[in-house]
Amino acid sequence: MTTWGHLAPSVLASFLASLVEFVEALTVVLAVGATRGWRGAIGGTLLALAVLTALVIVLGPALTRLPLAWVQLGVGALLVLFGLRWLHKAILRSAGIIPLHDEAATYAKQTAALRALSPARGGWDGVAVATAFQITLLEGIEVVFIVIAVGAGGADLLQSAAIGAGAALLLVVALGLLLHRPLATIPENILKFGVGALLSGFGTFWFGEGIGVQWPNGDVSILALIGGFLLTAMAMVSLLRTPTGQG
Amino acid sequence: MHRICTAFAELIGLFVDDGRFAGIIVIWLAICWLVLPHLVGTSIQGGLLALGLLGALIESTWRRTRR
């Protein structure tokens, strides 16, 4: 039975994870636009979005032809690697062991690097197109992977994961158009902390489904898994926190 | 060519940051794949899978902290 309680975790996981990716892409696209011109920045972004759309059109139907257990096994394993990597980094950042990610610093670094390159001589600016294309494609592939991975359990979950990612895209584009500067005030590490737990929970559940684990209470186990990862991560931050650590 | 190599490295980097951490996770998943389906007590299968992954996370974080 499909209920809001059943679909909400996939919408939330996909929205928050995609939000982090789109914010990172926006920072670089804004840096490209501000230093090399908006034509190349928007051109490279649209080109990457076209490649991503083609990827989804080609790979989407191919995935549906594979046995569900194989998809869950493969996607689950990759999602566990992806989610635990985020959670690991978020714990270290929250505890003050490694520095927090800073969108404003990334923007300053990107603009300085792009200004140092030779200016375009008429027509399309190759540097601008390539830089915007590369970052949008890379972050976009992550979003496509997140949507497929979170929605690996069926069409309804895939649809809700896609809705979550779409909402994140709209929000970041709207904020980018409105503010014209990097979204440095978004608490990226807190998002990564929560998303790491969400993705690790989903990944563990899908991998278990793929190898035939009988989860007590079915899909509800996802919530218990997410809670387990989150509580463990929070306990680790408390144990390891240094005076400079923050969320 | 340089851009392709960079993009490929970044793609791998999505899943692997700390090689030992990723290795432990993959080994644990492989063990679970081989062993868990044969365990009779089905209610503990999922718990064992999750506990191993939490153990990998704790080990990796402690190791990185002590570096």
Side-chain angles (χ1 to χ4, degrees):
Chain A
M1 188 178 69
T2 301
T3 62
W4 172 239
H6 174 74
L7 299 177
S10 58
V11 177
L12 187 69
S14 179
F15 173 79
L16 294 176
S18 303
L19 188 67
V20 173
E21 304 300 346
F22 290 136
V23 165
E24 288 179 5
L26 177 72
T27 300
V28 178
V29 172
L30 284 174
V32 173
T35 53
R36 312 284 309 192
W38 291 102
R39 192 179 176 212
I42 293 169
T45 303
L46 291 177
L47 189 62
L49 288 175
V51 171
L52 285 167
T53 307
L55 261 177
V56 171
I57 289 169
V58 171
L59 290 181
L63 275 176
T64 60
R65 288 195 197 101
L66 292 172
L68 183 61
W70 290 16
V71 175
Q72 289 176 330
L73 186 83
V75 161
L78 289 175
L79 200 53
V80 164
L81 284 167
F82 189 81
L84 284 180
R85 189 181 74 91
W86 272 30
L87 199 51
H88 178 237
K89 204 170 250 184
I91 293 169
L92 295 173
R93 282 179 175 156
S94 292
I97 292 156
I98 59 173
L100 289 170
H101 184 80
D102 183 350
E103 286 301 327
T106 305
Y107 181 78
K109 194 176 153 193
Q110 282 289 338
T111 48
L114 288 164
R115 279 204 182 101
L117 295 169
S118 55
R121 292 177 190 146
W124 286 92
D125 180 352
V127 171
V129 173
T131 308
F133 175 80
Q134 190 178 335
I135 190 69
T136 309
L137 188 67
L138 191 71
E139 303 297 345
I141 285 174
E142 290 190 50
V143 171
V144 169
F145 167 71
I146 288 162
V147 169
I148 290 171
V150 169
D156 53 347
L157 285 176
L158 193 62
Q159 206 172 17
S160 38
I163 289 169
L169 176 64
L170 288 178
L171 179 65
V172 170
V173 169
L175 288 173
L177 288 171
L178 201 70
L179 302 173
H180 274 277
R181 60 186 165 83
L183 306 178
T185 49
I186 284 186
E188 201 230 10
N189 202 52
I190 292 175
L191 279 179
K192 276 201 164 173
F193 202 95
V195 172
L198 281 165
L199 298 184
S200 301
F202 270 98
T204 307
F205 183 82
W206 293 140
F207 183 83
E209 288 273 292
I211 63 173
V213 165
Q214 300 295 311
W215 294 101
N217 303 317
D219 290 5
V220 179
S221 296
I222 295 177
L223 297 176
L225 287 166
I226 292 167
F229 281 110
L230 200 57
L231 287 175
T232 305
M234 286 163 73
M236 294 226 56
V237 171
S238 299
L239 281 171
L240 304 172
R241 195 183 287 273
T242 64
T244 54
Q246 52 186 295
Chain B
M1 190 62 195
H2 174 69
R3 278 188 183 277
I4 293 170
C5 288
T6 306
F8 185 72
E10 288 194 34
L11 203 59
I12 297 294
L14 296 183
F15 306 101
V16 181
D17 195 11
D18 174 340
R20 184 169 151 172
F21 181 36
I24 292 170
I25 292 169
V26 169
I27 289 168
W28 180 247
L29 292 178
I31 290 169
C32 287
W33 189 7
L34 294 172
V35 175
L36 288 189
H38 303 291
L39 284 184
V40 181
T42 54
S43 60
I44 62 163
Q45 289 177 323
L48 285 175
L49 171 61
L51 278 178
L53 294 174
L54 286 170
L57 178 67
I58 292 167
E59 188 279 333
S60 165
T61 311
W62 272 115
R63 182 166 42 82
R64 179 65 181 75
T65 308
R66 294 168 68 167
R67 212 184 283 167

